[in-house]
Amino acid sequence: MKIAIGSDHRGYHLKEKLAAILRSKGHEVEDVGTDVTESVDYPDFAAIVGRKVSEQSADRGILICGTGIGMAITANKFPHVRAAPITDEVTAEISRRHNDLNVLCLPADMLSPRMVERMVEVWIETDFEGGRHSRRVDKITEIEKHTLQT
């Protein structure tokens, strides 16, 4: 799987660790930054990952900031992106099974690195269930067509 990963300064160390773990499991990881611990603006990195997922040059994306919220807001501005801040294994799984979440937004300041690693593992390994959930995701796509400029 090709995964685009990005963070702001608060998520930098966790991004580095997750990128290494994902590569060790055979995933192609494109790290879009940041590469510094000095303050940077999260929308810059969320936009890069969001665009890559939207244009299908990445299968999925992972974004990390203090809470995951700002990253999700920004990434969701791109067509075909379904991004959400996730804070536990259950929502990591359900976000894939029911919502086909393709951009995982993580809170570097709120969870232990081990918890985040487990959430990413669950999110990567869980497939979209389809069925009635496909109808709902299709409705989201229809709403996008009428509200987002593509």
Side-chain angles (χ1 to χ4, degrees), residues 80 135-148:
H80 314 294
R135 182 180 72 245
R136 295 165 184 163
V137 170
D138 290 345
K139 286 183 178 190
I140 294 169
T141 302
E142 283 302 311
I143 291 167
E144 278 179 343
K145 287 179 185 178
H146 298 291
T147 60
L148 292 179

Side-chain angles (χ1 to χ4, degrees), residues 63-125:
L63 291 165
I64 309 157
C65 65
T67 64
I69 296 168
M71 292 289 202
I73 291 168
T74 306
N76 278 317
K77 302 300 180 192
F78 293 87
H80 314 294
V81 168
R82 290 172 303 282
I86 301 297
T87 57
D88 61 67
E89 288 181 46
V90 173
T91 53
E93 179 183 350
I94 297 298
S95 74
R96 286 289 310 136
R97 287 180 46 216
H98 292 189
N99 308 111
D100 201 15
L101 193 80
N102 54 14
V103 178
L104 178 66
C105 301
L106 297 167
D109 293 349
M110 301 168 70
L111 301 171
S112 72
R114 178 63 194 128
M115 178 64 167
V116 171
E117 290 171 36
R118 179 67 186 131
M119 288 167 36
V120 169
E121 181 181 335
V122 167
W123 184 75
I124 291 289
E125 293 175 358

Side-chain angles (χ1 to χ4, degrees), residues 11 26 30 33 50 56 62 78 117 128 131 133 145:
E30 183 177 0
Q56 299 179 341
I62 297 175
F78 293 87
E117 290 171 36
F128 179 50
H133 305 294
K145 287 179 185 178

